[in-house]
Amino acid sequence: MVKDHVLAGVRAAIIDLDGTMLDTVPDFHVAINGMRAELDLAPISADAIKLMVGKGSENLIRTVLALDFDDAGVEQRFEQAMEGYQRHYLAINGQFSTLYPEVEAGLAAMQAAGLRLACVTNKPIAFALPLLKLKNLDQYFEIVYGGDSLPQKKPHPMPLLQVCADFDLPPSKVVAIGDSSNDAQAARAAACPVLTVPYGYNHGHSIHDTDSDGIVKTLLEAARFIGMQN
């Protein structure tokens, strides 16, 4: 359930990308194993990768390399691995990822209700923008910030506070919606209300253990709750 009155007066929403709008683990799987093959490393499973995503590309690649190397070995290979990963990812970006249920219906309902929408992701902006366009989601967002758009990324509150400033709205009127503790921590630090979805990638932890103002099954259900309190 969503806490009473927490969404009252909400006029905008900040929505996460990976694990919230799109299941992108299949894209990560192809790109990471392409990179690993270039380093003569064995492929790893999609389930393993699912536990690693969400904290930005640098963290992802270091975590992947740490499966095979100590800290010094990771740093020695990091630049080569990062270049390979980015090359493979850009070549297949969006080809294997799929929309979660009711994402587009939810975005359309929020837009129809007059909410202003921003996408804030820890994915590099060069990956995020083409992906949104390929999936026809770019039309819903006034603002898109990637993990490298600003000096700090989630769970730091900076990207959320930047959206609030862009929209000229206090954080109390801007709800964040995501699938992980990154989103919830950023929202709490920014003083934004926050809703979480029960699917997606939360670093192997139950979303029920995350401090949010409520769990919504889909973005369409989020739109309905926002509508009910406004």
Side-chain angles (χ1 to χ4, degrees), residues 145-185:
Y145 286 129
D148 51 357
S149 297
L150 297 163
Q152 300 284 351
K153 59 170 74 81
K154 297 179 292 185
H156 197 282
M158 181 184 284
L160 277 62
L161 291 171
Q162 184 61 53
V163 171
C164 294
D166 294 337
F167 285 163
D168 195 23
L169 290 171
S172 62
K173 296 188 184 302
V174 183
V175 62
I177 305 173
D179 66 306
S180 82
S181 57
N182 270 350
D183 303 296
Q185 288 168 22

PDB file of all heavy atoms in Angstrom, residues 145-185:
ATOM      1  N   TYR A 145      18.432  12.506 -17.428  1.00  0.00           N
ATOM      2  CA  TYR A 145      19.794  12.577 -16.896  1.00  0.00           C
ATOM      3  C   TYR A 145      20.359  11.167 -16.761  1.00  0.00           C
ATOM      4  O   TYR A 145      19.708  10.279 -16.205  1.00  0.00           O
ATOM      5  CB  TYR A 145      19.826  13.251 -15.522  1.00  0.00           C
ATOM      6  CG  TYR A 145      19.616  14.748 -15.568  1.00  0.00           C
ATOM      7  CD1 TYR A 145      18.668  15.368 -14.753  1.00  0.00           C
ATOM      8  CD2 TYR A 145      20.365  15.556 -16.430  1.00  0.00           C
ATOM      9  CE1 TYR A 145      18.475  16.743 -14.796  1.00  0.00           C
ATOM     10  CE2 TYR A 145      20.170  16.927 -16.482  1.00  0.00           C
ATOM     11  CZ  TYR A 145      19.228  17.518 -15.670  1.00  0.00           C
ATOM     12  OH  TYR A 145      19.029  18.877 -15.725  1.00  0.00           O
ATOM     13  N   GLY A 146      21.559  10.973 -17.292  1.00  0.00           N
ATOM     14  CA  GLY A 146      22.266   9.709 -17.134  1.00  0.00           C
ATOM     15  C   GLY A 146      23.221   9.769 -15.957  1.00  0.00           C
ATOM     16  O   GLY A 146      23.381  10.806 -15.305  1.00  0.00           O
ATOM     17  N   GLY A 147      23.883   8.643 -15.711  1.00  0.00           N
ATOM     18  CA  GLY A 147      24.803   8.562 -14.590  1.00  0.00           C
ATOM     19  C   GLY A 147      26.021   9.456 -14.721  1.00  0.00           C
ATOM     20  O   GLY A 147      26.701   9.732 -13.725  1.00  0.00           O
ATOM     21  N   ASP A 148      26.297   9.912 -15.956  1.00  0.00           N
ATOM     22  CA  ASP A 148      27.442  10.792 -16.197  1.00  0.00           C
ATOM     23  C   ASP A 148      27.015  12.204 -16.596  1.00  0.00           C
ATOM     24  O   ASP A 148      27.843  13.003 -17.043  1.00  0.00           O
ATOM     25  CB  ASP A 148      28.362  10.190 -17.270  1.00  0.00           C
ATOM     26  CG  ASP A 148      27.618   9.790 -18.540  1.00  0.00           C
ATOM     27  OD1 ASP A 148      26.369   9.920 -18.572  1.00  0.00           O
ATOM     28  OD2 ASP A 148      28.264   9.345 -19.493  1.00  0.00           O
ATOM     29  N   SER A 149      25.737  12.540 -16.407  1.00  0.00           N
ATOM     30  CA  SER A 149      25.240  13.878 -16.780  1.00  0.00           C
ATOM     31  C   SER A 149      25.618  14.941 -15.753  1.00  0.00           C
ATOM     32  O   SER A 149      25.742  16.119 -16.091  1.00  0.00           O
ATOM     33  CB  SER A 149      23.712  13.859 -16.922  1.00  0.00           C
ATOM     34  OG  SER A 149      23.306  13.002 -17.955  1.00  0.00           O
ATOM     35  N   LEU A 150      25.764  14.516 -14.490  1.00  0.00           N
ATOM     36  CA  LEU A 150      26.024  15.440 -13.377  1.00  0.00           C
ATOM     37  C   LEU A 150      27.205  14.901 -12.566  1.00  0.00           C
ATOM     38  O   LEU A 150      27.590  13.737 -12.728  1.00  0.00           O
ATOM     39  CB  LEU A 150      24.769  15.543 -12.500  1.00  0.00           C
ATOM     40  CG  LEU A 150      23.519  16.121 -13.185  1.00  0.00           C
ATOM     41  CD1 LEU A 150      22.265  15.789 -12.395  1.00  0.00           C
ATOM     42  CD2 LEU A 150      23.653  17.620 -13.377  1.00  0.00           C
ATOM     43  N   PRO A 151      27.787  15.711 -11.687  1.00  0.00           N
ATOM     44  CA  PRO A 151      28.939  15.243 -10.902  1.00  0.00           C
ATOM     45  C   PRO A 151      28.635  14.040  -9.999  1.00  0.00           C
ATOM     46  O   PRO A 151      29.544  13.290  -9.653  1.00  0.00           O
ATOM     47  CB  PRO A 151      29.325  16.468 -10.066  1.00  0.00           C
ATOM     48  CG  PRO A 151      28.828  17.639 -10.839  1.00  0.00           C
ATOM     49  CD  PRO A 151      27.569  17.173 -11.509  1.00  0.00           C
ATOM     50  N   GLN A 152      27.366  13.859  -9.594  1.00  0.00           N
ATOM     51  CA  GLN A 152      26.990  12.735  -8.722  1.00  0.00           C
ATOM     52  C   GLN A 152      25.844  11.954  -9.347  1.00  0.00           C
ATOM     53  O   GLN A 152      25.024  12.510 -10.073  1.00  0.00           O
ATOM     54  CB  GLN A 152      26.556  13.244  -7.349  1.00  0.00           C
ATOM     55  CG  GLN A 152      27.612  14.035  -6.590  1.00  0.00           C
ATOM     56  CD  GLN A 152      28.687  13.169  -5.974  1.00  0.00           C
ATOM     57  OE1 GLN A 152      28.581  11.938  -5.955  1.00  0.00           O
ATOM     58  NE2 GLN A 152      29.731  13.810  -5.461  1.00  0.00           N
ATOM     59  N   LYS A 153      25.792  10.649  -9.056  1.00  0.00           N
ATOM     60  CA  LYS A 153      24.688   9.797  -9.508  1.00  0.00           C
ATOM     61  C   LYS A 153      23.969   9.218  -8.298  1.00  0.00           C
ATOM     62  O   LYS A 153      24.461   9.311  -7.169  1.00  0.00           O
ATOM     63  CB  LYS A 153      25.204   8.681 -10.422  1.00  0.00           C
ATOM     64  CG  LYS A 153      26.244   7.761  -9.790  1.00  0.00           C
ATOM     65  CD  LYS A 153      26.534   6.548 -10.660  1.00  0.00           C
ATOM     66  CE  LYS A 153      27.364   6.875 -11.875  1.00  0.00           C
ATOM     67  NZ  LYS A 153      28.823   6.971 -11.576  1.00  0.00           N
ATOM     68  N   LYS A 154      22.780   8.649  -8.511  1.00  0.00           N
ATOM     69  CA  LYS A 154      22.064   7.977  -7.429  1.00  0.00           C
ATOM     70  C   LYS A 154      22.959   6.893  -6.808  1.00  0.00           C
ATOM     71  O   LYS A 154      23.673   6.235  -7.547  1.00  0.00           O
ATOM     72  CB  LYS A 154      20.776   7.333  -7.958  1.00  0.00           C
ATOM     73  CG  LYS A 154      19.774   8.310  -8.520  1.00  0.00           C
ATOM     74  CD  LYS A 154      18.513   7.607  -9.051  1.00  0.00           C
ATOM     75  CE  LYS A 154      18.775   6.776 -10.288  1.00  0.00           C
ATOM     76  NZ  LYS A 154      17.533   6.199 -10.856  1.00  0.00           N
ATOM     77  N   PRO A 155      22.968   6.714  -5.483  1.00  0.00           N
ATOM     78  CA  PRO A 155      21.982   7.167  -4.482  1.00  0.00           C
ATOM     79  C   PRO A 155      22.181   8.601  -3.970  1.00  0.00           C
ATOM     80  O   PRO A 155      21.493   9.012  -3.044  1.00  0.00           O
ATOM     81  CB  PRO A 155      22.164   6.170  -3.344  1.00  0.00           C
ATOM     82  CG  PRO A 155      23.595   5.773  -3.425  1.00  0.00           C
ATOM     83  CD  PRO A 155      23.914   5.742  -4.897  1.00  0.00           C
ATOM     84  N   HIS A 156      23.130   9.359  -4.541  1.00  0.00           N
ATOM     85  CA  HIS A 156      23.259  10.770  -4.175  1.00  0.00           C
ATOM     86  C   HIS A 156      22.004  11.515  -4.628  1.00  0.00           C
ATOM     87  O   HIS A 156      21.448  11.223  -5.696  1.00  0.00           O
ATOM     88  CB  HIS A 156      24.499  11.367  -4.847  1.00  0.00           C
ATOM     89  CG  HIS A 156      24.969  12.660  -4.253  1.00  0.00           C
ATOM     90  ND1 HIS A 156      24.349  13.856  -4.537  1.00  0.00           N
ATOM     91  CD2 HIS A 156      25.979  12.944  -3.393  1.00  0.00           C
ATOM     92  CE1 HIS A 156      24.972  14.829  -3.871  1.00  0.00           C
ATOM     93  NE2 HIS A 156      25.961  14.308  -3.172  1.00  0.00           N
ATOM     94  N   PRO A 157      21.522  12.498  -3.858  1.00  0.00           N
ATOM     95  CA  PRO A 157      20.292  13.204  -4.231  1.00  0.00           C
ATOM     96  C   PRO A 157      20.459  14.207  -5.368  1.00  0.00           C
ATOM     97  O   PRO A 157      19.449  14.712  -5.883  1.00  0.00           O
ATOM     98  CB  PRO A 157      19.908  13.938  -2.939  1.00  0.00           C
ATOM     99  CG  PRO A 157      21.202  14.145  -2.226  1.00  0.00           C
ATOM    100  CD  PRO A 157      22.026  12.916  -2.518  1.00  0.00           C
ATOM    101  N   MET A 158      21.692  14.502  -5.782  1.00  0.00           N
ATOM    102  CA  MET A 158      21.915  15.578  -6.759  1.00  0.00           C
ATOM    103  C   MET A 158      21.047  15.483  -8.020  1.00  0.00           C
ATOM    104  O   MET A 158      20.430  16.483  -8.409  1.00  0.00           O
ATOM    105  CB  MET A 158      23.393  15.669  -7.154  1.00  0.00           C
ATOM    106  CG  MET A 158      23.674  16.795  -8.151  1.00  0.00           C
ATOM    107  SD  MET A 158      25.386  16.841  -8.724  1.00  0.00           S
ATOM    108  CE  MET A 158      26.189  17.563  -7.288  1.00  0.00           C
ATOM    109  N   PRO A 159      20.954  14.323  -8.695  1.00  0.00           N
ATOM    110  CA  PRO A 159      20.147  14.297  -9.923  1.00  0.00           C
ATOM    111  C   PRO A 159      18.671  14.621  -9.680  1.00  0.00           C
ATOM    112  O   PRO A 159      18.024  15.284 -10.491  1.00  0.00           O
ATOM    113  CB  PRO A 159      20.323  12.868 -10.443  1.00  0.00           C
ATOM    114  CG  PRO A 159      21.546  12.355  -9.775  1.00  0.00           C
ATOM    115  CD  PRO A 159      21.614  13.031  -8.445  1.00  0.00           C
ATOM    116  N   LEU A 160      18.131  14.151  -8.537  1.00  0.00           N
ATOM    117  CA  LEU A 160      16.727  14.421  -8.226  1.00  0.00           C
ATOM    118  C   LEU A 160      16.516  15.895  -7.903  1.00  0.00           C
ATOM    119  O   LEU A 160      15.539  16.508  -8.361  1.00  0.00           O
ATOM    120  CB  LEU A 160      16.262  13.537  -7.061  1.00  0.00           C
ATOM    121  CG  LEU A 160      15.836  12.107  -7.420  1.00  0.00           C
ATOM    122  CD1 LEU A 160      16.983  11.310  -8.030  1.00  0.00           C
ATOM    123  CD2 LEU A 160      15.298  11.377  -6.198  1.00  0.00           C
ATOM    124  N   LEU A 161      17.433  16.462  -7.128  1.00  0.00           N
ATOM    125  CA  LEU A 161      17.326  17.886  -6.797  1.00  0.00           C
ATOM    126  C   LEU A 161      17.480  18.756  -8.046  1.00  0.00           C
ATOM    127  O   LEU A 161      16.842  19.808  -8.153  1.00  0.00           O
ATOM    128  CB  LEU A 161      18.383  18.255  -5.748  1.00  0.00           C
ATOM    129  CG  LEU A 161      18.133  17.658  -4.358  1.00  0.00           C
ATOM    130  CD1 LEU A 161      19.333  17.891  -3.462  1.00  0.00           C
ATOM    131  CD2 LEU A 161      16.861  18.235  -3.730  1.00  0.00           C
ATOM    132  N   GLN A 162      18.299  18.300  -8.995  1.00  0.00           N
ATOM    133  CA  GLN A 162      18.458  19.042 -10.246  1.00  0.00           C
ATOM    134  C   GLN A 162      17.147  19.065 -11.031  1.00  0.00           C
ATOM    135  O   GLN A 162      16.756  20.099 -11.581  1.00  0.00           O
ATOM    136  CB  GLN A 162      19.566  18.438 -11.097  1.00  0.00           C
ATOM    137  CG  GLN A 162      19.854  19.212 -12.387  1.00  0.00           C
ATOM    138  CD  GLN A 162      20.304  20.638 -12.117  1.00  0.00           C
ATOM    139  OE1 GLN A 162      21.246  20.854 -11.361  1.00  0.00           O
ATOM    140  NE2 GLN A 162      19.620  21.611 -12.715  1.00  0.00           N
ATOM    141  N   VAL A 163      16.445  17.934 -11.065  1.00  0.00           N
ATOM    142  CA  VAL A 163      15.140  17.886 -11.741  1.00  0.00           C
ATOM    143  C   VAL A 163      14.147  18.820 -11.051  1.00  0.00           C
ATOM    144  O   VAL A 163      13.411  19.563 -11.719  1.00  0.00           O
ATOM    145  CB  VAL A 163      14.594  16.446 -11.781  1.00  0.00           C
ATOM    146  CG1 VAL A 163      13.142  16.434 -12.281  1.00  0.00           C
ATOM    147  CG2 VAL A 163      15.453  15.565 -12.677  1.00  0.00           C
ATOM    148  N   CYS A 164      14.117  18.792  -9.723  1.00  0.00           N
ATOM    149  CA  CYS A 164      13.221  19.694  -8.984  1.00  0.00           C
ATOM    150  C   CYS A 164      13.502  21.149  -9.360  1.00  0.00           C
ATOM    151  O   CYS A 164      12.572  21.934  -9.572  1.00  0.00           O
ATOM    152  CB  CYS A 164      13.382  19.492  -7.483  1.00  0.00           C
ATOM    153  SG  CYS A 164      12.844  17.875  -6.877  1.00  0.00           S
ATOM    154  N   ALA A 165      14.781  21.503  -9.445  1.00  0.00           N
ATOM    155  CA  ALA A 165      15.159  22.866  -9.836  1.00  0.00           C
ATOM    156  C   ALA A 165      14.742  23.159 -11.270  1.00  0.00           C
ATOM    157  O   ALA A 165      14.213  24.237 -11.574  1.00  0.00           O
ATOM    158  CB  ALA A 165      16.665  23.052  -9.666  1.00  0.00           C
ATOM    159  N   ASP A 166      14.950  22.192 -12.159  1.00  0.00           N
ATOM    160  CA  ASP A 166      14.575  22.362 -13.569  1.00  0.00           C
ATOM    161  C   ASP A 166      13.072  22.601 -13.714  1.00  0.00           C
ATOM    162  O   ASP A 166      12.627  23.406 -14.546  1.00  0.00           O
ATOM    163  CB  ASP A 166      14.956  21.123 -14.390  1.00  0.00           C
ATOM    164  CG  ASP A 166      16.453  20.906 -14.491  1.00  0.00           C
ATOM    165  OD1 ASP A 166      17.218  21.879 -14.335  1.00  0.00           O
ATOM    166  OD2 ASP A 166      16.866  19.749 -14.720  1.00  0.00           O
ATOM    167  N   PHE A 167      12.300  21.865 -12.917  1.00  0.00           N
ATOM    168  CA  PHE A 167      10.837  21.984 -12.970  1.00  0.00           C
ATOM    169  C   PHE A 167      10.323  23.132 -12.091  1.00  0.00           C
ATOM    170  O   PHE A 167       9.124  23.425 -12.100  1.00  0.00           O
ATOM    171  CB  PHE A 167      10.180  20.677 -12.522  1.00  0.00           C
ATOM    172  CG  PHE A 167      10.235  19.556 -13.528  1.00  0.00           C
ATOM    173  CD1 PHE A 167       9.996  18.244 -13.139  1.00  0.00           C
ATOM    174  CD2 PHE A 167      10.515  19.799 -14.865  1.00  0.00           C
ATOM    175  CE1 PHE A 167      10.020  17.196 -14.045  1.00  0.00           C
ATOM    176  CE2 PHE A 167      10.546  18.763 -15.784  1.00  0.00           C
ATOM    177  CZ  PHE A 167      10.300  17.463 -15.376  1.00  0.00           C
ATOM    178  N   ASP A 168      11.204  23.751 -11.325  1.00  0.00           N
ATOM    179  CA  ASP A 168      10.833  24.817 -10.389  1.00  0.00           C
ATOM    180  C   ASP A 168       9.745  24.335  -9.426  1.00  0.00           C
ATOM    181  O   ASP A 168       8.742  25.009  -9.198  1.00  0.00           O
ATOM    182  CB  ASP A 168      10.379  26.073 -11.152  1.00  0.00           C
ATOM    183  CG  ASP A 168      10.332  27.308 -10.261  1.00  0.00           C
ATOM    184  OD1 ASP A 168      11.036  27.318  -9.232  1.00  0.00           O
ATOM    185  OD2 ASP A 168       9.578  28.260 -10.582  1.00  0.00           O
ATOM    186  N   LEU A 169       9.979  23.142  -8.865  1.00  0.00           N
ATOM    187  CA  LEU A 169       9.045  22.543  -7.912  1.00  0.00           C
ATOM    188  C   LEU A 169       9.800  22.130  -6.654  1.00  0.00           C
ATOM    189  O   LEU A 169      10.951  21.688  -6.733  1.00  0.00           O
ATOM    190  CB  LEU A 169       8.390  21.293  -8.517  1.00  0.00           C
ATOM    191  CG  LEU A 169       7.385  21.500  -9.646  1.00  0.00           C
ATOM    192  CD1 LEU A 169       7.016  20.163 -10.267  1.00  0.00           C
ATOM    193  CD2 LEU A 169       6.130  22.213  -9.143  1.00  0.00           C
ATOM    194  N   PRO A 170       9.161  22.250  -5.480  1.00  0.00           N
ATOM    195  CA  PRO A 170       9.796  21.732  -4.268  1.00  0.00           C
ATOM    196  C   PRO A 170       9.833  20.203  -4.320  1.00  0.00           C
ATOM    197  O   PRO A 170       8.956  19.580  -4.939  1.00  0.00           O
ATOM    198  CB  PRO A 170       8.881  22.225  -3.144  1.00  0.00           C
ATOM    199  CG  PRO A 170       7.553  22.437  -3.787  1.00  0.00           C
ATOM    200  CD  PRO A 170       7.825  22.837  -5.209  1.00  0.00           C
ATOM    201  N   PRO A 171      10.805  19.561  -3.689  1.00  0.00           N
ATOM    202  CA  PRO A 171      10.890  18.103  -3.718  1.00  0.00           C
ATOM    203  C   PRO A 171       9.615  17.392  -3.252  1.00  0.00           C
ATOM    204  O   PRO A 171       9.305  16.296  -3.738  1.00  0.00           O
ATOM    205  CB  PRO A 171      12.072  17.805  -2.779  1.00  0.00           C
ATOM    206  CG  PRO A 171      12.941  19.016  -2.892  1.00  0.00           C
ATOM    207  CD  PRO A 171      11.981  20.174  -3.020  1.00  0.00           C
ATOM    208  N   SER A 172       8.875  18.013  -2.337  1.00  0.00           N
ATOM    209  CA  SER A 172       7.648  17.374  -1.840  1.00  0.00           C
ATOM    210  C   SER A 172       6.599  17.172  -2.929  1.00  0.00           C
ATOM    211  O   SER A 172       5.671  16.374  -2.771  1.00  0.00           O
ATOM    212  CB  SER A 172       7.047  18.207  -0.710  1.00  0.00           C
ATOM    213  OG  SER A 172       6.684  19.499  -1.184  1.00  0.00           O
ATOM    214  N   LYS A 173       6.749  17.886  -4.047  1.00  0.00           N
ATOM    215  CA  LYS A 173       5.782  17.781  -5.148  1.00  0.00           C
ATOM    216  C   LYS A 173       6.318  16.964  -6.330  1.00  0.00           C
ATOM    217  O   LYS A 173       5.716  16.933  -7.401  1.00  0.00           O
ATOM    218  CB  LYS A 173       5.379  19.179  -5.629  1.00  0.00           C
ATOM    219  CG  LYS A 173       4.631  19.996  -4.565  1.00  0.00           C
ATOM    220  CD  LYS A 173       4.095  21.283  -5.130  1.00  0.00           C
ATOM    221  CE  LYS A 173       3.429  22.143  -4.058  1.00  0.00           C
ATOM    222  NZ  LYS A 173       2.336  21.457  -3.373  1.00  0.00           N
ATOM    223  N   VAL A 174       7.459  16.289  -6.103  1.00  0.00           N
ATOM    224  CA  VAL A 174       8.081  15.491  -7.171  1.00  0.00           C
ATOM    225  C   VAL A 174       8.325  14.076  -6.641  1.00  0.00           C
ATOM    226  O   VAL A 174       9.162  13.866  -5.772  1.00  0.00           O
ATOM    227  CB  VAL A 174       9.413  16.125  -7.626  1.00  0.00           C
ATOM    228  CG1 VAL A 174      10.007  15.322  -8.785  1.00  0.00           C
ATOM    229  CG2 VAL A 174       9.211  17.577  -8.048  1.00  0.00           C
ATOM    230  N   VAL A 175       7.582  13.097  -7.154  1.00  0.00           N
ATOM    231  CA  VAL A 175       7.726  11.723  -6.681  1.00  0.00           C
ATOM    232  C   VAL A 175       8.783  10.997  -7.519  1.00  0.00           C
ATOM    233  O   VAL A 175       8.840  11.148  -8.738  1.00  0.00           O
ATOM    234  CB  VAL A 175       6.380  10.970  -6.723  1.00  0.00           C
ATOM    235  CG1 VAL A 175       5.815  10.856  -8.140  1.00  0.00           C
ATOM    236  CG2 VAL A 175       6.515   9.581  -6.100  1.00  0.00           C
ATOM    237  N   ALA A 176       9.625  10.234  -6.836  1.00  0.00           N
ATOM    238  CA  ALA A 176      10.584   9.363  -7.521  1.00  0.00           C
ATOM    239  C   ALA A 176      10.018   7.950  -7.558  1.00  0.00           C
ATOM    240  O   ALA A 176       9.412   7.480  -6.590  1.00  0.00           O
ATOM    241  CB  ALA A 176      11.920   9.379  -6.791  1.00  0.00           C
ATOM    242  N   ILE A 177      10.209   7.267  -8.703  1.00  0.00           N
ATOM    243  CA  ILE A 177       9.719   5.894  -8.860  1.00  0.00           C
ATOM    244  C   ILE A 177      10.872   5.041  -9.379  1.00  0.00           C
ATOM    245  O   ILE A 177      11.466   5.357 -10.413  1.00  0.00           O
ATOM    246  CB  ILE A 177       8.527   5.816  -9.833  1.00  0.00           C
ATOM    247  CG1 ILE A 177       7.402   6.769  -9.404  1.00  0.00           C
ATOM    248  CG2 ILE A 177       8.007   4.383  -9.920  1.00  0.00           C
ATOM    249  CD1 ILE A 177       6.266   6.878 -10.410  1.00  0.00           C
ATOM    250  N   GLY A 178      11.185   3.970  -8.634  1.00  0.00           N
ATOM    251  CA  GLY A 178      12.294   3.119  -9.046  1.00  0.00           C
ATOM    252  C   GLY A 178      12.168   1.714  -8.501  1.00  0.00           C
ATOM    253  O   GLY A 178      11.182   1.367  -7.847  1.00  0.00           O
ATOM    254  N   ASP A 179      13.212   0.920  -8.768  1.00  0.00           N
ATOM    255  CA  ASP A 179      13.167  -0.498  -8.407  1.00  0.00           C
ATOM    256  C   ASP A 179      14.186  -0.890  -7.347  1.00  0.00           C
ATOM    257  O   ASP A 179      14.279  -2.063  -6.998  1.00  0.00           O
ATOM    258  CB  ASP A 179      13.417  -1.362  -9.650  1.00  0.00           C
ATOM    259  CG  ASP A 179      14.838  -1.183 -10.185  1.00  0.00           C
ATOM    260  OD1 ASP A 179      15.225  -0.027 -10.439  1.00  0.00           O
ATOM    261  OD2 ASP A 179      15.553  -2.182 -10.344  1.00  0.00           O
ATOM    262  N   SER A 180      14.966   0.085  -6.845  1.00  0.00           N
ATOM    263  CA  SER A 180      16.065  -0.311  -5.959  1.00  0.00           C
ATOM    264  C   SER A 180      16.289   0.671  -4.818  1.00  0.00           C
ATOM    265  O   SER A 180      15.748   1.773  -4.790  1.00  0.00           O
ATOM    266  CB  SER A 180      17.361  -0.458  -6.756  1.00  0.00           C
ATOM    267  OG  SER A 180      17.972   0.803  -6.963  1.00  0.00           O
ATOM    268  N   SER A 181      17.149   0.236  -3.896  1.00  0.00           N
ATOM    269  CA  SER A 181      17.518   1.081  -2.774  1.00  0.00           C
ATOM    270  C   SER A 181      18.219   2.355  -3.243  1.00  0.00           C
ATOM    271  O   SER A 181      18.133   3.386  -2.576  1.00  0.00           O
ATOM    272  CB  SER A 181      18.424   0.310  -1.807  1.00  0.00           C
ATOM    273  OG  SER A 181      19.569  -0.178  -2.475  1.00  0.00           O
ATOM    274  N   ASN A 182      18.896   2.304  -4.397  1.00  0.00           N
ATOM    275  CA  ASN A 182      19.517   3.515  -4.966  1.00  0.00           C
ATOM    276  C   ASN A 182      18.485   4.624  -5.128  1.00  0.00           C
ATOM    277  O   ASN A 182      18.723   5.780  -4.782  1.00  0.00           O
ATOM    278  CB  ASN A 182      20.079   3.221  -6.365  1.00  0.00           C
ATOM    279  CG  ASN A 182      21.509   2.756  -6.326  1.00  0.00           C
ATOM    280  OD1 ASN A 182      22.151   2.812  -5.298  1.00  0.00           O
ATOM    281  ND2 ASN A 182      21.992   2.282  -7.448  1.00  0.00           N
ATOM    282  N   ASP A 183      17.339   4.258  -5.709  1.00  0.00           N
ATOM    283  CA  ASP A 183      16.278   5.234  -5.973  1.00  0.00           C
ATOM    284  C   ASP A 183      15.693   5.747  -4.665  1.00  0.00           C
ATOM    285  O   ASP A 183      15.468   6.953  -4.497  1.00  0.00           O
ATOM    286  CB  ASP A 183      15.174   4.587  -6.826  1.00  0.00           C
ATOM    287  CG  ASP A 183      15.706   4.032  -8.135  1.00  0.00           C
ATOM    288  OD1 ASP A 183      16.177   4.829  -8.964  1.00  0.00           O
ATOM    289  OD2 ASP A 183      15.661   2.805  -8.318  1.00  0.00           O
ATOM    290  N   ALA A 184      15.437   4.834  -3.729  1.00  0.00           N
ATOM    291  CA  ALA A 184      14.829   5.217  -2.455  1.00  0.00           C
ATOM    292  C   ALA A 184      15.762   6.094  -1.627  1.00  0.00           C
ATOM    293  O   ALA A 184      15.332   7.098  -1.042  1.00  0.00           O
ATOM    294  CB  ALA A 184      14.435   3.960  -1.677  1.00  0.00           C
ATOM    295  N   GLN A 185      17.045   5.740  -1.592  1.00  0.00           N
ATOM    296  CA  GLN A 185      18.001   6.537  -0.816  1.00  0.00           C
ATOM    297  C   GLN A 185      18.163   7.937  -1.401  1.00  0.00           C
ATOM    298  O   GLN A 185      18.240   8.925  -0.667  1.00  0.00           O
ATOM    299  CB  GLN A 185      19.348   5.821  -0.771  1.00  0.00           C
ATOM    300  CG  GLN A 185      19.346   4.590   0.117  1.00  0.00           C
ATOM    301  CD  GLN A 185      20.599   3.740  -0.079  1.00  0.00           C
ATOM    302  OE1 GLN A 185      21.628   4.215  -0.544  1.00  0.00           O
ATOM    303  NE2 GLN A 185      20.497   2.475   0.282  1.00  0.00           N
TER     304      GLN A 185
END
